[in-house]
Amino acid sequence: MSNSARILRVRGVALIVSNPRGEILIIQELQTKPHLGKYTGMFSPPMETSRERERDCSTIVRLIDEELPGLAGHIKIENERQGVYRIVPGVWVSLYVGQTRDSRLPTPDARSKEEVGTYLWVPPCEAITFWLRQGAGEMLTDYVEHRNKVVCRHCRPAILPEASVSV
């Protein structure tokens, strides 16, 4: 198989964090990575790509450290993953859920400002109405509907604004 015909194989994690008011943490993407189904301006729960042979628990720790600065040690993660989602061909993300006892937002540092913009606490049903990164809609819907042990083999393609569509 030639390098150009090789299929991208990527693993990652997503984390839905809720606060005592029942809101969830949503972030806005600042980078476009079409091969991962995300474009600048989209929203999603925090997500992180796993490194080669990295376990989910290590990726989650890195996700919190890199994308949720200031919340390390304040999020209790449920041990069992809620589901696994094929975001785009060759890219699978495991969904985990966590809770925090307060509602403070992450305090962005230089690293997180490169990839992540706005942080918001929003009701889960409202989050589903945002312009979402590919796979985030399925994850949030499953969370709202209390589904677990989900295997989603096909996530809806990201809908791009008319201005970004080239002819």
Side-chain angles (χ1 to χ4, degrees), residues 16-19 21-27 43-45 103 105 118-130 132 140 143-144:
I16 295 178
V17 179
S18 64
N19 66 21
R21 295 187 306 252
E23 299 164 319
I24 60 171
L25 185 63
I26 296 296
I27 60 171
F43 290 88
S44 76
S103 296
L105 290 169
T118 305
Y119 294 93
L120 301 169
W121 286 113
V122 297
C125 290
E126 183 180 322
I128 294 170
T129 68
F130 286 26
L132 297 171
L140 293 170
Y143 175 79
V144 167

Side-chain angles (χ1 to χ4, degrees), residues 94-120:
S94 294
L95 175 63
Y96 292 86
V97 173
Q99 298 82 33
T100 183
R101 286 184 289 222
D102 59 38
S103 296
R104 67 181 155 152
L105 290 169
T107 50
D109 60 15
R111 273 184 315 192
S112 61
K113 285 183 182 177
E114 292 175 14
E115 287 196 42
V116 177
T118 305
Y119 294 93
L120 301 169

